[in-house]
Amino acid sequence: MFTDLSPKYHPLTVETVPAYVRSRPELSSIFRSDDDIESVEVGDGNLNLVFKVWAKADPERTVVLKQALPYLRLVGDSWPLPTDRARIEAAALEAESRLCPQHTPKVYFYDPDLYLIAMQNLNHHIIMRKGLIQGIKYPLFAEHIGLFLARTLAYTSDLVLDFRTKKLEVMRFTNPELCKITEDLVFTEPYRKTERNRFHPEIEPQVLALQADDSLRVQVAQMKEKFMTHAQALIHGDLHTGSIMINQTETYAIDPEFAFYGPMGFDVGAVIGNLFLSYASHEVRTKDPDARADFRKYLTDTVLQLWKVFEREFSKVWADVDSINMPKGYQEDYMLRVLQDSAGLGACKMMRRVIGLAGVEDIRGIENVTDRSIAASLALNIGQALIMNRREIRTIEELVEVATGCRPSYPWKA
Ligand code: SR1
Ligand code: MG
């Protein structure tokens, strides 16, 4: 089904990692030949093996090895996946590092035989989703990720690339099987009965109502069409808060294996949608009303600020764009369409995390089933409101207003 595996391919293990890293000249400035090397496999994502590797004598001499498996780890070898995604991820990291090095992990090398990327171990950072669950605020996140989004999206779009380069880049980043995962898991399966959906039974009445709502399904179909046909820029393709490594001073976007030329709003919306998933989860995770209001203000301020930074940085690119072919009003129209796409695509990213195969800890990690149902119901209502109202949204303030106007429907009214 996919191109044959390289004859040298074999999945690494903690036993084989030390010899492998010693064999790589690109790592000779990190590991010495007589180093005692330790490693642990930490891949808690859905797709790959991930090893943290360090010198026993000095844990700061460290790398991460990320290796593609030829099947989907979340499901097993019944779901084959192309290892070519590792090449795409390495190429996307290279592009992101050129455009925004301060928010992209350093890559030491890509090994095309093992479909493996050796990269910076962000060992002083945590996955942002885990921090948000604990109620940790990241005051620099909006500035950092707004810049990352603006630079990676604007500089890979037709606004900047010449006609030929753009088409060649679209070819280089063609990523059909991973796009198909998104098409199925984000835009199709949550809205129909399928065995792969994973919502918990208490929330079923709301899920069934969504699945029976043709006006909603038309909007979702439009978003799917946009995802499949709008080759606007090189997008990360999976920029949820689990793909952000962060601390109080630094932010890194990791894991761009779903990268391809798609709509900018899919990345911007992924960030916004995941901040609203956190917002929904703190409906029950933070019991004290003042603390809840305070954390929610942080989340909504972050959404407002990240869009403003995105617009500010993107406008620097507009200033350099050839104005001869640029009718008056086109820039405003373009940015408004990105905002409205972000609302609609971000909404789909929220709803799939409640209904579909791959959930998020923010919601699915809530142990008490009543609490989980309240948070899930609120997340679905925010998603539904954002997608249904997206064409009326003209500013980021209006987007936030639509989301914060939502309440959970659970417990169901008699
Ligand atoms: C089956 S793969 C499930 C999800 O994991 C990735 O992070 C993507 O979001 C994908 O949809
Ligand atoms: Mg990932």
Side-chain angles (χ1 to χ4, degrees), residues 45-47 72-75 79 81 129 178 181-183 185-186 196 237-240 242-243 255 257-258 266 349 352-353 357-359:
N46 297 322
L47 277 74
L72 190 76
R73 186 173 185 171
L74 175 70
V75 172
W79 188 333
L81 261 195
R129 187 184 306 290
L178 271 72
I181 289 179
T182 303
E183 289 151 23
L185 296 191
V186 177
R196 292 216 299 232
D238 200 25
L239 198 54
H240 53 84
S243 295
D255 280 3
E257 66 207 304
F258 284 78
F266 194 72
K349 304 268 287 176
R352 63 79 61 112
R353 294 298 187 189
L357 174 69

Side-chain angles (χ1 to χ4, degrees), residues 123-186:
N123 56 338
H124 298 288
H125 307 74
I126 66 166
I127 291 173
M128 185 180 187
R129 187 184 306 290
K130 295 192 183 295
L132 292 179
I133 286 172
Q134 294 170 49
I136 301 173
K137 296 176 185 170
Y138 298 102
L140 298 180
F141 170 71
E143 186 68 39
H144 291 170
I145 216 68
L147 176 72
F148 177 87
L149 287 165
R151 291 191 60 84
T152 58
L153 299 177
Y155 281 100
T156 58
S157 73
D158 289 284
L159 296 172
V160 173
L161 297 184
D162 78 80
F163 72 99
R164 182 173 293 108
T165 309
K166 164 75 189 310
K167 273 85 173 175
L168 292 173
E169 284 294 90
V170 171
M171 281 169 61
R172 189 162 74 101
F173 283 100
T174 295
N175 198 355
E177 277 77 19
L178 271 72
C179 285
K180 178 76 165 91
I181 289 179
T182 303
E183 289 151 23
D184 290 346
L185 296 191
V186 177

Side-chain angles (χ1 to χ4, degrees), residues 5-46:
L5 282 175
S6 137
K8 292 189 185 156
Y9 178 77
H10 57 276
L12 290 181
T13 64
V14 286
E15 287 77 31
T16 56
V17 159
Y20 178 73
V21 296
R22 277 194 208 96
S23 75
R24 297 299 310 203
E26 304 91 334
L27 300 179
S28 61
S29 63
I30 299 178
F31 300 115
R32 301 184 197 119
S33 53
D34 60 348
D35 263 335
D36 203 353
I37 291 170
E38 300 200 312
S39 76
V40 62
E41 204 278 311
V42 293
D44 65 349
N46 297 322

Side-chain angles (χ1 to χ4, degrees), residues 82-365:
T83 43
D84 184 54
R85 68 188 189 274
R87 174 194 64 80
I88 291 197
E89 176 166 352
L93 285 167
E94 190 273 321
E96 291 166 355
S97 161
R98 197 167 21 84
L99 297 169
C100 199
Q102 61 275 54
H103 302 306
T104 306
K106 179 175 162 53
V107 171
Y108 298 109
F109 64 87
Y110 171 59
D111 179 343
D113 290 321
L114 296 194
Y115 314 110
L116 177 150
I117 303 169
M119 66 183 114
Q120 180 182 3
N121 182 4
L122 298 163
N123 56 338
H124 298 288
H125 307 74
I126 66 166
I127 291 173
M128 185 180 187
R129 187 184 306 290
K130 295 192 183 295
L132 292 179
I133 286 172
Q134 294 170 49
I136 301 173
K137 296 176 185 170
Y138 298 102
L140 298 180
F141 170 71
E143 186 68 39
H144 291 170
I145 216 68
L147 176 72
F148 177 87
L149 287 165
R151 291 191 60 84
T152 58
L153 299 177
Y155 281 100
T156 58
S157 73
D158 289 284
L159 296 172
V160 173
L161 297 184
D162 78 80
F163 72 99
R164 182 173 293 108
T165 309
K166 164 75 189 310
K167 273 85 173 175
L168 292 173
E169 284 294 90
V170 171
M171 281 169 61
R172 189 162 74 101
F173 283 100
T174 295
N175 198 355
E177 277 77 19
L178 271 72
C179 285
K180 178 76 165 91
I181 289 179
T182 303
E183 289 151 23
D184 290 346
L185 296 191
V186 177
F187 297 107
T188 304
E189 294 181 5
Y191 307 96
R192 63 165 68 141
K193 191 170 160 46
T194 136
E195 283 183 358
R196 292 216 299 232
N197 284 337
R198 290 279 185 279
F199 57 88
H200 56 286
E202 284 71 15
I203 203 77
E204 188 173 34
Q206 193 168 347
V207 173
L208 293 182
L210 284 184
Q211 292 177 343
D213 182 347
D214 278 336
S215 60
L216 173 79
R217 295 181 64 214
V218 168
Q219 301 304 316
V220 173
Q222 290 175 1
M223 292 292 95
K224 180 176 178 181
E225 177 190 320
K226 174 141 289 189
F227 178 82
M228 295 177 76
T229 61
H230 198 43
Q232 194 176 22
L234 176 61
I235 68 171
H236 176 287
D238 200 25
L239 198 54
H240 53 84
T241 48
S243 295
I244 306 279
M245 296 293 290
I246 197 160
N247 62 26
Q248 291 299 304
T249 54
E250 293 180 319
T251 308
Y252 288 91
I254 63 166
D255 280 3
E257 66 207 304
F258 284 78
F260 79 113
Y261 270 75
M264 296 178 181
F266 194 72
D267 276 1
V268 180
V271 179
I272 292 175
N274 275 267
L275 291 169
F276 280 122
L277 281 171
S278 177
Y279 178 99
S281 80
H282 283 281
E283 176 82 10
V284 292
R285 283 186 179 277
T286 303
K287 300 287 182 200
D288 174 68
D290 292 339
R292 180 164 64 236
D294 179 63
F295 195 65
R296 284 185 156 175
K297 179 161 178 355
Y298 159 71
L299 291 170
T300 53
D301 283 351
T302 300
V303 172
L304 294 169
Q305 198 197 345
L306 97 81
W307 178 263
K308 287 181 196 307
V309 173
F310 175 71
E311 254 190 333
R312 182 193 75 206
E313 295 299 323
F314 209 121
S315 71
K316 294 178 184 167
V317 178
W318 281 106
D320 289 338
V321 166
D322 169 16
S323 55
I324 295 171
N325 292 317
M326 218 48 78
K328 195 168 165 330
Y330 180 58
Q331 180 178 343
E332 290 70 23
D333 164 75
Y334 190 105
M335 297 309 287
L336 178 60
R337 283 185 287 112
V338 175
L339 178 68
Q340 294 178 345
D341 289 352
S342 304
L345 293 163
C348 295
K349 304 268 287 176
M350 289 186 74
M351 294 186 283
R352 63 79 61 112
R353 294 298 187 189
V354 176
I355 304 173
L357 174 69
V360 285
E361 196 187 336
D362 313 54
I363 306 286
R364 292 200 180 159

